[in-house]
Amino acid sequence: MKRMLICLWMLLLLLCALPALGEAMELPARVCEDAPLLSIAIVDTGEVEPATEDKILRADITAEDGSLAQSLTYHAIEAPSSDDPFIAAWLEDLNFDGYADLCLRTVMGARNDRTAFALWNPETGRFDEVYTEPLYLPEDQDDAGEAEYSWLSNYGLHPESGMLDCYMADGAADYDWTVYRWEGRRLCLISVATLRTLSDGDFLRERVWRLDGSCRWEQTCPLAWYYAEAAIFDERQEAIQAALMGQDTSWALTLIRFSLFRLCLALPRNSRLRDLKCR
């Protein structure tokens, strides 16, 4: 009986720690320095998307001076936690127009942090609807209709070049890197790199391409060699990033070619480098 009472007490404490259905997570922020303070509340609607079992959340946005009252719904794998409301939403200038945009965390795993977003529209004085256009469909996927393909993954901003980059990690060795540029209010993919473990489990395939055709390579090398030393892995990432970001300078091309030349020299005889083209 005593053990049962202890278990019931622990269960009660756990339930009290969980956010109640519809509980709001509030975050005060501004879209620019002279704008009114916004209160952003993230609410779990309790609804679920049947096809994907994504949770349907709602962002309620109100301005302290009454100039804005707006609600936006979006899909997420995880509901916000009452223990840390600041990880549920934040404002950041994603399209480099001087106004902060609404970022909505959809899931945060050990390696991937996924974010939905809604751009601030200075002409209307409101946020656009949450962005739903697919950004990137991994080569081993065939359905771009799911909400997750419009989410940013581990994104980084490059205001000096007007670019935004993302990456997704899958398993121990598989990666997808993507780079985008804004065209108006649309985020356009400009380059992709993938790292895949091949079916034999001993080799990796690295592919890099820019959609304008300016740089592309594919190579296969032993997995054990690729991760044998931090310097090798770092060198490969540096060459990939130079190609992805479109650094068409003599330095960037020299870096890529030098890295590939070192790869050819260092690879064991049973490995191979193929389909290389970089111009």
PDB file of all heavy atoms in Angstrom, residues 187-213:
ATOM      1  N   LEU A 187      11.712  31.458 -50.535  1.00  0.00           N
ATOM      2  CA  LEU A 187      13.045  30.930 -50.259  1.00  0.00           C
ATOM      3  C   LEU A 187      13.385  29.891 -51.322  1.00  0.00           C
ATOM      4  O   LEU A 187      12.693  28.884 -51.473  1.00  0.00           O
ATOM      5  CB  LEU A 187      13.065  30.293 -48.864  1.00  0.00           C
ATOM      6  CG  LEU A 187      14.419  30.105 -48.180  1.00  0.00           C
ATOM      7  CD1 LEU A 187      15.203  31.406 -48.127  1.00  0.00           C
ATOM      8  CD2 LEU A 187      14.211  29.544 -46.773  1.00  0.00           C
ATOM      9  N   CYS A 188      14.452  30.152 -52.094  1.00  0.00           N
ATOM     10  CA  CYS A 188      14.789  29.311 -53.241  1.00  0.00           C
ATOM     11  C   CYS A 188      16.071  28.529 -52.978  1.00  0.00           C
ATOM     12  O   CYS A 188      17.091  29.096 -52.568  1.00  0.00           O
ATOM     13  CB  CYS A 188      14.960  30.166 -54.495  1.00  0.00           C
ATOM     14  SG  CYS A 188      13.441  31.022 -54.969  1.00  0.00           S
ATOM     15  N   LEU A 189      16.021  27.252 -53.262  1.00  0.00           N
ATOM     16  CA  LEU A 189      17.170  26.374 -53.105  1.00  0.00           C
ATOM     17  C   LEU A 189      18.194  26.679 -54.192  1.00  0.00           C
ATOM     18  O   LEU A 189      17.851  26.766 -55.370  1.00  0.00           O
ATOM     19  CB  LEU A 189      16.710  24.921 -53.211  1.00  0.00           C
ATOM     20  CG  LEU A 189      17.766  23.834 -53.058  1.00  0.00           C
ATOM     21  CD1 LEU A 189      18.292  23.792 -51.630  1.00  0.00           C
ATOM     22  CD2 LEU A 189      17.172  22.463 -53.425  1.00  0.00           C
ATOM     23  N   ILE A 190      19.481  26.831 -53.791  1.00  0.00           N
ATOM     24  CA  ILE A 190      20.521  27.104 -54.789  1.00  0.00           C
ATOM     25  C   ILE A 190      21.606  26.035 -54.810  1.00  0.00           C
ATOM     26  O   ILE A 190      22.291  25.878 -55.825  1.00  0.00           O
ATOM     27  CB  ILE A 190      21.164  28.496 -54.587  1.00  0.00           C
ATOM     28  CG1 ILE A 190      21.836  28.605 -53.220  1.00  0.00           C
ATOM     29  CG2 ILE A 190      20.146  29.594 -54.785  1.00  0.00           C
ATOM     30  CD1 ILE A 190      22.629  29.897 -53.055  1.00  0.00           C
ATOM     31  N   SER A 191      21.779  25.268 -53.717  1.00  0.00           N
ATOM     32  CA  SER A 191      22.811  24.238 -53.734  1.00  0.00           C
ATOM     33  C   SER A 191      22.514  23.173 -52.687  1.00  0.00           C
ATOM     34  O   SER A 191      21.840  23.434 -51.687  1.00  0.00           O
ATOM     35  CB  SER A 191      24.201  24.845 -53.490  1.00  0.00           C
ATOM     36  OG  SER A 191      24.241  25.576 -52.283  1.00  0.00           O
ATOM     37  N   VAL A 192      23.035  21.965 -52.947  1.00  0.00           N
ATOM     38  CA  VAL A 192      22.766  20.806 -52.095  1.00  0.00           C
ATOM     39  C   VAL A 192      24.029  19.965 -51.987  1.00  0.00           C
ATOM     40  O   VAL A 192      24.795  19.846 -52.954  1.00  0.00           O
ATOM     41  CB  VAL A 192      21.635  19.929 -52.681  1.00  0.00           C
ATOM     42  CG1 VAL A 192      21.366  18.715 -51.790  1.00  0.00           C
ATOM     43  CG2 VAL A 192      20.355  20.732 -52.888  1.00  0.00           C
ATOM     44  N   ALA A 193      24.238  19.376 -50.830  1.00  0.00           N
ATOM     45  CA  ALA A 193      25.280  18.358 -50.650  1.00  0.00           C
ATOM     46  C   ALA A 193      24.681  17.231 -49.813  1.00  0.00           C
ATOM     47  O   ALA A 193      23.890  17.483 -48.898  1.00  0.00           O
ATOM     48  CB  ALA A 193      26.510  18.934 -49.966  1.00  0.00           C
ATOM     49  N   THR A 194      25.048  16.009 -50.137  1.00  0.00           N
ATOM     50  CA  THR A 194      24.569  14.864 -49.371  1.00  0.00           C
ATOM     51  C   THR A 194      25.737  13.946 -49.048  1.00  0.00           C
ATOM     52  O   THR A 194      26.700  13.835 -49.816  1.00  0.00           O
ATOM     53  CB  THR A 194      23.505  14.058 -50.144  1.00  0.00           C
ATOM     54  OG1 THR A 194      24.071  13.559 -51.362  1.00  0.00           O
ATOM     55  CG2 THR A 194      22.296  14.917 -50.460  1.00  0.00           C
ATOM     56  N   LEU A 195      25.629  13.296 -47.922  1.00  0.00           N
ATOM     57  CA  LEU A 195      26.593  12.280 -47.502  1.00  0.00           C
ATOM     58  C   LEU A 195      25.776  11.063 -47.113  1.00  0.00           C
ATOM     59  O   LEU A 195      24.928  11.136 -46.223  1.00  0.00           O
ATOM     60  CB  LEU A 195      27.421  12.790 -46.323  1.00  0.00           C
ATOM     61  CG  LEU A 195      28.640  11.970 -45.916  1.00  0.00           C
ATOM     62  CD1 LEU A 195      29.662  11.911 -47.041  1.00  0.00           C
ATOM     63  CD2 LEU A 195      29.284  12.566 -44.664  1.00  0.00           C
ATOM     64  N   ARG A 196      26.001   9.931 -47.804  1.00  0.00           N
ATOM     65  CA  ARG A 196      25.191   8.744 -47.591  1.00  0.00           C
ATOM     66  C   ARG A 196      26.073   7.516 -47.363  1.00  0.00           C
ATOM     67  O   ARG A 196      27.064   7.311 -48.071  1.00  0.00           O
ATOM     68  CB  ARG A 196      24.299   8.472 -48.810  1.00  0.00           C
ATOM     69  CG  ARG A 196      23.195   9.489 -49.022  1.00  0.00           C
ATOM     70  CD  ARG A 196      22.098   9.349 -47.983  1.00  0.00           C
ATOM     71  NE  ARG A 196      20.969  10.209 -48.273  1.00  0.00           N
ATOM     72  CZ  ARG A 196      20.852  11.460 -47.851  1.00  0.00           C
ATOM     73  NH1 ARG A 196      21.812  11.992 -47.095  1.00  0.00           N
ATOM     74  NH2 ARG A 196      19.790  12.185 -48.149  1.00  0.00           N
ATOM     75  N   THR A 197      25.662   6.704 -46.411  1.00  0.00           N
ATOM     76  CA  THR A 197      26.291   5.406 -46.218  1.00  0.00           C
ATOM     77  C   THR A 197      25.744   4.450 -47.270  1.00  0.00           C
ATOM     78  O   THR A 197      24.530   4.311 -47.415  1.00  0.00           O
ATOM     79  CB  THR A 197      25.986   4.852 -44.815  1.00  0.00           C
ATOM     80  OG1 THR A 197      26.338   5.829 -43.830  1.00  0.00           O
ATOM     81  CG2 THR A 197      26.769   3.579 -44.559  1.00  0.00           C
ATOM     82  N   LEU A 198      26.617   3.796 -48.010  1.00  0.00           N
ATOM     83  CA  LEU A 198      26.176   2.876 -49.044  1.00  0.00           C
ATOM     84  C   LEU A 198      25.730   1.555 -48.445  1.00  0.00           C
ATOM     85  O   LEU A 198      25.961   1.270 -47.272  1.00  0.00           O
ATOM     86  CB  LEU A 198      27.295   2.669 -50.062  1.00  0.00           C
ATOM     87  CG  LEU A 198      27.742   3.955 -50.794  1.00  0.00           C
ATOM     88  CD1 LEU A 198      28.781   3.631 -51.845  1.00  0.00           C
ATOM     89  CD2 LEU A 198      26.549   4.670 -51.421  1.00  0.00           C
ATOM     90  N   SER A 199      25.108   0.731 -49.270  1.00  0.00           N
ATOM     91  CA  SER A 199      24.448  -0.474 -48.771  1.00  0.00           C
ATOM     92  C   SER A 199      25.412  -1.447 -48.102  1.00  0.00           C
ATOM     93  O   SER A 199      25.015  -2.193 -47.200  1.00  0.00           O
ATOM     94  CB  SER A 199      23.713  -1.174 -49.923  1.00  0.00           C
ATOM     95  OG  SER A 199      24.611  -1.490 -50.960  1.00  0.00           O
ATOM     96  N   ASP A 200      26.700  -1.428 -48.526  1.00  0.00           N
ATOM     97  CA  ASP A 200      27.647  -2.356 -47.901  1.00  0.00           C
ATOM     98  C   ASP A 200      28.070  -1.912 -46.508  1.00  0.00           C
ATOM     99  O   ASP A 200      28.669  -2.676 -45.753  1.00  0.00           O
ATOM    100  CB  ASP A 200      28.880  -2.556 -48.779  1.00  0.00           C
ATOM    101  CG  ASP A 200      29.592  -1.239 -49.094  1.00  0.00           C
ATOM    102  OD1 ASP A 200      29.336  -0.241 -48.396  1.00  0.00           O
ATOM    103  OD2 ASP A 200      30.395  -1.214 -50.038  1.00  0.00           O
ATOM    104  N   GLY A 201      27.750  -0.653 -46.160  1.00  0.00           N
ATOM    105  CA  GLY A 201      28.045  -0.145 -44.827  1.00  0.00           C
ATOM    106  C   GLY A 201      29.473   0.276 -44.602  1.00  0.00           C
ATOM    107  O   GLY A 201      29.793   0.864 -43.565  1.00  0.00           O
ATOM    108  N   ASP A 202      30.365   0.032 -45.580  1.00  0.00           N
ATOM    109  CA  ASP A 202      31.782   0.358 -45.417  1.00  0.00           C
ATOM    110  C   ASP A 202      32.192   1.608 -46.175  1.00  0.00           C
ATOM    111  O   ASP A 202      33.292   2.119 -45.970  1.00  0.00           O
ATOM    112  CB  ASP A 202      32.658  -0.813 -45.886  1.00  0.00           C
ATOM    113  CG  ASP A 202      32.471  -2.045 -45.009  1.00  0.00           C
ATOM    114  OD1 ASP A 202      32.229  -1.861 -43.797  1.00  0.00           O
ATOM    115  OD2 ASP A 202      32.551  -3.167 -45.545  1.00  0.00           O
ATOM    116  N   PHE A 203      31.321   2.102 -47.068  1.00  0.00           N
ATOM    117  CA  PHE A 203      31.677   3.241 -47.906  1.00  0.00           C
ATOM    118  C   PHE A 203      30.647   4.364 -47.761  1.00  0.00           C
ATOM    119  O   PHE A 203      29.468   4.117 -47.481  1.00  0.00           O
ATOM    120  CB  PHE A 203      31.776   2.822 -49.376  1.00  0.00           C
ATOM    121  CG  PHE A 203      33.013   2.032 -49.696  1.00  0.00           C
ATOM    122  CD1 PHE A 203      33.057   0.673 -49.434  1.00  0.00           C
ATOM    123  CD2 PHE A 203      34.129   2.655 -50.234  1.00  0.00           C
ATOM    124  CE1 PHE A 203      34.196  -0.060 -49.720  1.00  0.00           C
ATOM    125  CE2 PHE A 203      35.270   1.930 -50.526  1.00  0.00           C
ATOM    126  CZ  PHE A 203      35.308   0.571 -50.268  1.00  0.00           C
ATOM    127  N   LEU A 204      31.113   5.584 -47.994  1.00  0.00           N
ATOM    128  CA  LEU A 204      30.270   6.769 -48.030  1.00  0.00           C
ATOM    129  C   LEU A 204      30.266   7.334 -49.436  1.00  0.00           C
ATOM    130  O   LEU A 204      31.277   7.285 -50.146  1.00  0.00           O
ATOM    131  CB  LEU A 204      30.815   7.848 -47.084  1.00  0.00           C
ATOM    132  CG  LEU A 204      30.662   7.640 -45.584  1.00  0.00           C
ATOM    133  CD1 LEU A 204      31.423   8.740 -44.847  1.00  0.00           C
ATOM    134  CD2 LEU A 204      29.208   7.650 -45.178  1.00  0.00           C
ATOM    135  N   ARG A 205      29.117   7.884 -49.833  1.00  0.00           N
ATOM    136  CA  ARG A 205      29.026   8.609 -51.095  1.00  0.00           C
ATOM    137  C   ARG A 205      28.773  10.074 -50.791  1.00  0.00           C
ATOM    138  O   ARG A 205      27.815  10.427 -50.108  1.00  0.00           O
ATOM    139  CB  ARG A 205      27.898   8.064 -51.956  1.00  0.00           C
ATOM    140  CG  ARG A 205      27.859   8.713 -53.361  1.00  0.00           C
ATOM    141  CD  ARG A 205      26.576   8.353 -54.087  1.00  0.00           C
ATOM    142  NE  ARG A 205      25.434   8.989 -53.427  1.00  0.00           N
ATOM    143  CZ  ARG A 205      24.179   8.580 -53.606  1.00  0.00           C
ATOM    144  NH1 ARG A 205      23.925   7.538 -54.366  1.00  0.00           N
ATOM    145  NH2 ARG A 205      23.187   9.206 -52.998  1.00  0.00           N
ATOM    146  N   GLU A 206      29.631  10.921 -51.298  1.00  0.00           N
ATOM    147  CA  GLU A 206      29.515  12.370 -51.109  1.00  0.00           C
ATOM    148  C   GLU A 206      29.148  12.995 -52.446  1.00  0.00           C
ATOM    149  O   GLU A 206      29.815  12.754 -53.455  1.00  0.00           O
ATOM    150  CB  GLU A 206      30.855  12.924 -50.616  1.00  0.00           C
ATOM    151  CG  GLU A 206      30.875  14.413 -50.367  1.00  0.00           C
ATOM    152  CD  GLU A 206      32.273  14.876 -50.009  1.00  0.00           C
ATOM    153  OE1 GLU A 206      32.652  14.792 -48.825  1.00  0.00           O
ATOM    154  OE2 GLU A 206      33.001  15.304 -50.934  1.00  0.00           O
ATOM    155  N   ARG A 207      28.060  13.768 -52.443  1.00  0.00           N
ATOM    156  CA  ARG A 207      27.623  14.461 -53.654  1.00  0.00           C
ATOM    157  C   ARG A 207      27.431  15.936 -53.340  1.00  0.00           C
ATOM    158  O   ARG A 207      26.895  16.288 -52.295  1.00  0.00           O
ATOM    159  CB  ARG A 207      26.305  13.886 -54.189  1.00  0.00           C
ATOM    160  CG  ARG A 207      26.360  12.429 -54.606  1.00  0.00           C
ATOM    161  CD  ARG A 207      24.999  11.964 -55.119  1.00  0.00           C
ATOM    162  NE  ARG A 207      24.629  12.673 -56.340  1.00  0.00           N
ATOM    163  CZ  ARG A 207      23.399  13.086 -56.617  1.00  0.00           C
ATOM    164  NH1 ARG A 207      22.426  12.917 -55.744  1.00  0.00           N
ATOM    165  NH2 ARG A 207      23.134  13.691 -57.751  1.00  0.00           N
ATOM    166  N   VAL A 208      27.864  16.795 -54.263  1.00  0.00           N
ATOM    167  CA  VAL A 208      27.707  18.243 -54.115  1.00  0.00           C
ATOM    168  C   VAL A 208      27.265  18.801 -55.460  1.00  0.00           C
ATOM    169  O   VAL A 208      27.860  18.470 -56.490  1.00  0.00           O
ATOM    170  CB  VAL A 208      29.031  18.917 -53.692  1.00  0.00           C
ATOM    171  CG1 VAL A 208      28.835  20.424 -53.565  1.00  0.00           C
ATOM    172  CG2 VAL A 208      29.538  18.342 -52.373  1.00  0.00           C
ATOM    173  N   TRP A 209      26.207  19.605 -55.477  1.00  0.00           N
ATOM    174  CA  TRP A 209      25.812  20.252 -56.718  1.00  0.00           C
ATOM    175  C   TRP A 209      25.155  21.592 -56.444  1.00  0.00           C
ATOM    176  O   TRP A 209      24.499  21.790 -55.430  1.00  0.00           O
ATOM    177  CB  TRP A 209      24.895  19.354 -57.542  1.00  0.00           C
ATOM    178  CG  TRP A 209      23.533  19.061 -56.986  1.00  0.00           C
ATOM    179  CD1 TRP A 209      22.368  19.695 -57.291  1.00  0.00           C
ATOM    180  CD2 TRP A 209      23.186  18.034 -56.041  1.00  0.00           C
ATOM    181  NE1 TRP A 209      21.324  19.135 -56.597  1.00  0.00           N
ATOM    182  CE2 TRP A 209      21.790  18.110 -55.837  1.00  0.00           C
ATOM    183  CE3 TRP A 209      23.916  17.068 -55.356  1.00  0.00           C
ATOM    184  CZ2 TRP A 209      21.117  17.261 -54.964  1.00  0.00           C
ATOM    185  CZ3 TRP A 209      23.251  16.217 -54.500  1.00  0.00           C
ATOM    186  CH2 TRP A 209      21.878  16.315 -54.306  1.00  0.00           C
ATOM    187  N   ARG A 210      25.390  22.530 -57.344  1.00  0.00           N
ATOM    188  CA  ARG A 210      24.699  23.813 -57.328  1.00  0.00           C
ATOM    189  C   ARG A 210      23.726  23.826 -58.486  1.00  0.00           C
ATOM    190  O   ARG A 210      24.033  23.339 -59.572  1.00  0.00           O
ATOM    191  CB  ARG A 210      25.707  24.969 -57.421  1.00  0.00           C
ATOM    192  CG  ARG A 210      26.605  25.058 -56.192  1.00  0.00           C
ATOM    193  CD  ARG A 210      26.889  26.499 -55.813  1.00  0.00           C
ATOM    194  NE  ARG A 210      27.584  27.240 -56.847  1.00  0.00           N
ATOM    195  CZ  ARG A 210      28.902  27.330 -56.950  1.00  0.00           C
ATOM    196  NH1 ARG A 210      29.677  26.678 -56.098  1.00  0.00           N
ATOM    197  NH2 ARG A 210      29.461  28.046 -57.909  1.00  0.00           N
ATOM    198  N   LEU A 211      22.552  24.378 -58.262  1.00  0.00           N
ATOM    199  CA  LEU A 211      21.502  24.290 -59.253  1.00  0.00           C
ATOM    200  C   LEU A 211      21.794  25.097 -60.514  1.00  0.00           C
ATOM    201  O   LEU A 211      21.163  24.889 -61.546  1.00  0.00           O
ATOM    202  CB  LEU A 211      20.164  24.722 -58.648  1.00  0.00           C
ATOM    203  CG  LEU A 211      19.382  23.605 -57.929  1.00  0.00           C
ATOM    204  CD1 LEU A 211      20.136  23.072 -56.716  1.00  0.00           C
ATOM    205  CD2 LEU A 211      17.998  24.054 -57.531  1.00  0.00           C
ATOM    206  N   ASP A 212      22.768  26.025 -60.457  1.00  0.00           N
ATOM    207  CA  ASP A 212      23.143  26.755 -61.663  1.00  0.00           C
ATOM    208  C   ASP A 212      24.177  25.992 -62.485  1.00  0.00           C
ATOM    209  O   ASP A 212      24.631  26.470 -63.524  1.00  0.00           O
ATOM    210  CB  ASP A 212      23.669  28.150 -61.315  1.00  0.00           C
ATOM    211  CG  ASP A 212      24.957  28.114 -60.487  1.00  0.00           C
ATOM    212  OD1 ASP A 212      25.477  27.002 -60.220  1.00  0.00           O
ATOM    213  OD2 ASP A 212      25.440  29.190 -60.099  1.00  0.00           O
ATOM    214  N   GLY A 213      24.552  24.783 -62.024  1.00  0.00           N
ATOM    215  CA  GLY A 213      25.474  23.941 -62.769  1.00  0.00           C
ATOM    216  C   GLY A 213      26.930  24.314 -62.634  1.00  0.00           C
ATOM    217  O   GLY A 213      27.784  23.723 -63.301  1.00  0.00           O
TER     218      GLY A 213
END
